[in-house]
Amino acid sequence: MKRTKPSQITKEYWVYAISKSKKKYPEPTDNCGKWMIFGYIGEQLDNIWAGVEKAIEKGLLGSSAKCSTSKENPNALVKKTGVICVYTYDSNDKE
């Protein structure tokens, strides 16, 4: 399946990934939250996102994630970088 790279998206602020795994994801704990991964918009963020997206879809990393795209975001503090947010039931679960 050919995937669209975040750097190729200019009309939306975010691209999303959701777990397609049949296994039940754990219920949120008091430590639910997100891991944030920062990278330069373009090849660096595209490459990181490719791995995160696959892991999310397989149910290996978290329930869902989002990645910033090339659409200029007025809320961004640094225009050349983007962020990937990986949502987790427990931010202390490092496995």
Side-chain angles (χ1 to χ4, degrees):
M1 165 166 77
K2 182 152 170 69
R3 299 174 186 267
T4 303
K5 297 176 181 180
S7 65
Q8 297 172 329
I9 299 170
T10 58
K11 296 192 185 308
E12 303 292 332
Y13 292 116
W14 301 101
V15 60
Y16 298 89
I18 297 174
S19 176
K20 296 178 181 177
S21 173
K22 301 258 189 241
K23 69 179 182 180
K24 184 167 172 33
Y25 194 72
E27 292 295 320
T29 67
D30 290 340
N31 294 317
C32 66
K34 63 186 170 192
W35 291 96
M36 298 173 71
I37 306 165
F38 296 90
Y40 290 105
I41 294 173
E43 187 176 356
Q44 185 182 48
L45 203 62
D46 288 348
N47 289 339
I48 297 168
W49 176 246
V52 168
E53 184 179 30
K54 287 176 189 172
I56 291 290
E57 289 176 353
K58 291 180 180 179
L60 302 174
L61 188 57
S63 62
S64 62
K66 68 181 181 180
C67 179
S68 52
T69 66
S70 285
K71 182 173 182 174
E72 191 172 320
N73 188 331
N75 296 322
L77 299 177
V78 181
K79 302 296 183 194
K80 294 180 180 180
T81 63
V83 64
I84 297 171
C85 300
V86 179
Y87 296 95
T88 178
Y89 75 102
D90 187 338
S91 61
N92 291 326
D93 183 352
K94 294 183 174 119
E95 283 185 41

